[in-house]
Structures are given as C-alpha cells and as structure tokens.
Amino acid sequence: MKQWWEECGVQFECQMCGKCCGEEPGSIWVSEPEMQEISEFLKIDRSRLRKLYLVRRMGKISINEKENFDCVFLDEKTRKCGIYSVRPAQCRSFPFWDALMADKNMWDFYSSKCPGMDCGKHYTPEMVKELLKQYDS
C-alpha cells in the first residue's frame, strides 16, 4: 500500500522553537551509546546522568521531563536544547517518525503545532524513505 507522502514527499525545516521538545507528555528513548555521548558532553559520569536526567519507562531508558512536560534539557527561556549536538536519534529524526509518516492525520495534527512542518526544505519520497530506513530501530 502506497504511503500518503510517496507521491510528492513532504516539506520540513526546523524552526528551533522547541515545541517538539515539550508541552505534552512523552518519552525520549536513549540508547547506551547515546547515554555515553550525553555523559561525555555534560562532563559527568553515566551514573550521575541516570540519577539527574534519565528515567526508566516500560523497560527502556528515557530522558526525564519537567513538571510542564518539557524535556529536562530544554532551556525554558530560549527554548533551545542544552544537548543539541548530542541529542538522541529520536530527537534528530523528528518529524520523520514511523507513526507520523504512516498516518496523514497524525502528520496534520503535529504540523498544526510545529511551524517547521509543511514549509521549508522539500524532502522527496526517496529522501523520506532513506530517512525512515536510517532511523528505523
């Protein structure tokens, strides 16, 4: 079955607004190598990283959230990511998540919140397929 984006592709260009980094509950899964990168970036050991910034959910490790559901690494004033250069693949791959690419209604829901979706850089169907393959876990 052909996906909704396979004919024309999609447009997306991150506006660095931080909306995908909070404002609603969610999980930001991190792998062991990603935990190591974040630890090194923050210049803390992994046990301190886990204690201060991570939480176990559904048998996996996720970055913790503040009370307002923002990621703990999202600066509340600037709305910029404090670990941007080492952010997890889940963050880097937004909005090219399986759930959004499989359902046009989900894409439309998120695009109503994200000013970078449906504008900016054009991703051809081939580019989208490659991104989905790259971030498939």
Side-chain angles (χ1 to χ4, degrees), residues 18 33-34 37 41-42 57 73 82 93 102 137:
E34 289 169 338
E37 281 186 69
F41 180 81
L42 296 174
R57 286 192 187 132
F73 294 115
S93 64
S137 43

Side-chain angles (χ1 to χ4, degrees), residues 88-134:
Q90 182 177 340
C91 301
R92 287 192 311 270
S93 64
F94 182 84
F96 300 98
W97 294 349
D98 288 340
L100 300 182
M101 302 313 293
D103 184 344
K104 178 73 162 98
N105 291 326
M106 285 289 286
W107 177 273
D108 291 342
F109 173 78
Y110 276 90
S111 71
S112 71
K113 298 171 176 251
C114 173
M117 292 171 73
D118 294 329
C119 71
K121 180 179 176 176
H122 179 253
Y123 289 82
T124 65
E126 293 75 24
M127 293 164 79
V128 172
K129 285 177 188 174
E130 191 56 41
L131 286 167
L132 289 172
K133 221 187 306 179
Q134 179 182 346

Side-chain angles (χ1 to χ4, degrees), residues 10-79:
V10 297
Q11 284 184 277
F12 173 72
E13 193 159 333
C14 183
Q15 304 298 302
M16 306 281 293
C17 68
K19 289 186 182 207
C20 61
C21 305
E23 300 179 5
E24 60 184 56
S27 296
I28 306 158
W29 307 120
V30 289
S31 67
E32 291 293 328
E34 289 169 338
M35 283 187 264
Q36 186 62 40
E37 281 186 69
I38 295 167
S39 295
E40 290 171 6
F41 180 81
L42 296 174
K43 296 178 174 54
I44 60 175
D45 63 42
R46 286 181 51 164
S47 64
R48 187 144 175 82
L49 176 76
R50 281 180 184 252
K51 183 177 180 182
L52 295 174
Y53 302 110
L54 305 178
V55 64
R56 183 171 287 282
R57 286 192 187 132
M58 301 184 304
K60 297 179 180 179
I61 303 293
S62 175
I63 293 177
N64 213 345
E65 298 170 320
K66 299 175 188 172
E67 284 185 22
N68 66 354
F69 302 117
D70 282 355
C71 173
V72 294
F73 294 115
L74 184 65
D75 184 283
E76 71 182 59
K77 287 185 176 67
T78 65
R79 305 299 292 167

